[in-house]
Amino acid sequence: AHFILTREEKEGYEHGFIDSVFLQKNISDFKCHFYICGPDKMIHDINAALEKLGASADLVVFEK
């Protein structure tokens, strides 16, 4: 699991936004499972980025 904070910087956690650049830099296998939790727009944006990078919709789980 990776925990990334966008509003605060805290030791032991990454800071910033999850986007296509972040995903390409940090994930080598887009055929694994992804679990996304956060605000609706973030979930939508990350899901779209994962699809463009080749992740299977069957392996992406998100909270509604």
Side-chain angles (χ1 to χ4, degrees), residues 41-60:
K41 179 162 178 17
M42 184 192 93
I43 290 172
H44 177 269
D45 292 348
I46 293 174
N47 191 42
L50 286 170
E51 284 183 18
K52 285 182 182 177
L53 294 169
S56 169
D58 295 338
L59 299 177
V60 178

Side-chain angles (χ1 to χ4, degrees), residues 18 23 34-51 60-64:
I18 302 170
L23 294 170
F34 294 91
Y35 178 82
I36 307 166
C37 178
D40 289 343
K41 179 162 178 17
M42 184 192 93
I43 290 172
H44 177 269
D45 292 348
I46 293 174
N47 191 42
L50 286 170
E51 284 183 18
V60 178
V61 177
F62 53 92
E63 286 197 17
K64 295 182 179 181

Side-chain angles (χ1 to χ4, degrees), residues 19-33:
D19 56 13
S20 293
V21 173
F22 175 89
L23 294 170
Q24 286 177 312
K25 180 181 173 187
N26 291 281
I27 300 188
S28 59
D29 181 10
F30 288 94
K31 297 192 181 353
C32 63
H33 285 88

